[in-house]
Amino acid sequence: MTSRTFSKKLSANDVGSTGGHQGGILVPRTEGELLSFLPPLDPTIKNPDAWIECEDETGTVRKFRFVYYNNKLHDLGGTRNEYRITYMTKYFREVGAREGEELEISKSGTSRSYKIRVVRATAPLHNQEESDGVRIKITSGWRRIH
């Protein structure tokens, strides 16, 4: 049985430490292998979604929403054309996820259930409160773990 694992370095925005409101973790449209790993979504439907069941590192089963915000394809003047995984904020808060740590998501074979965990940073993280200003870094940060 083959297993695939993907990892994403968490940004300050992902874990909610910027105080902003984010619509979930971005899954880039260019990441075909990652998109094929997640449930299929029909682009002919406006904003299709699927709930994904994930067991975290404590054994708790959580449900996250995988959604394709695609009003650019369906509405005159629409601007969104992006995939996201939403409803993760509570999980990140409960496990104390921090910027610079990594989210891992894996699945074995044809299983419909995923495993998730936060991989803790090995080096001390930069303290945002000591910063001279606000840092904004836009990056998807996803990679496949072999």
Side-chain angles (χ1 to χ4, degrees):
M1 182 178 287
T2 57
S3 178
R4 291 192 292 173
T5 302
F6 290 87
S7 167
K8 183 200 186 295
K9 183 175 266 191
L10 295 170
S11 69
N13 204 33
D14 290 335
V15 297
S17 62
T18 62
H21 171 73
Q22 175 172 288
I25 291 181
L26 179 69
V27 178
R29 289 179 294 128
T30 57
E31 295 288 340
E33 189 176 11
L34 176 57
L35 288 172
S36 71
F37 169 77
L38 295 166
L41 300 177
D42 183 353
T44 65
I45 298 170
K46 182 178 175 183
N47 298 335
D49 66 349
W51 288 93
I52 56 176
E53 199 169 271
C54 301
E55 182 180 335
D56 72 14
E57 57 270 65
T58 69
T60 302
V61 175
R62 299 173 182 270
K63 289 187 178 183
F64 303 120
R65 181 178 178 232
F66 177 51
V67 60
Y68 179 28
Y69 291 113
N70 62 4
N71 72 356
K72 185 174 185 175
L73 307 176
H74 295 275
D75 296 337
L76 186 63
T79 59
R80 295 188 77 185
N81 189 17
E82 62 194 23
Y83 291 90
R84 293 205 174 254
I85 301 174
T86 63
Y87 289 82
M88 298 192 86
T89 304
K90 180 179 177 187
Y91 164 66
F92 288 142
R93 286 188 182 135
E94 285 179 5
V95 299
R98 299 188 55 187
E99 174 186 6
E101 295 177 334
E102 292 195 3
L103 170 69
E104 277 188 6
I105 183 168
S106 60
K107 183 172 76 161
S108 295
T110 59
S111 172
R112 299 186 80 200
S113 181
Y114 296 82
K115 301 253 187 220
I116 57 166
R117 72 182 185 123
V118 171
V119 179
R120 304 300 173 181
T122 54
L125 296 172
H126 172 74
N127 186 343
Q128 179 65 31
E129 295 174 354
E130 296 173 2
S131 176
D132 292 334
V134 175
R135 292 176 292 118
I136 298 176
K137 184 177 177 185
I138 307 293
T139 179
S140 73
W142 285 98
R143 65 185 175 90
R144 168 120 188 243
I145 299 174
H146 296 279

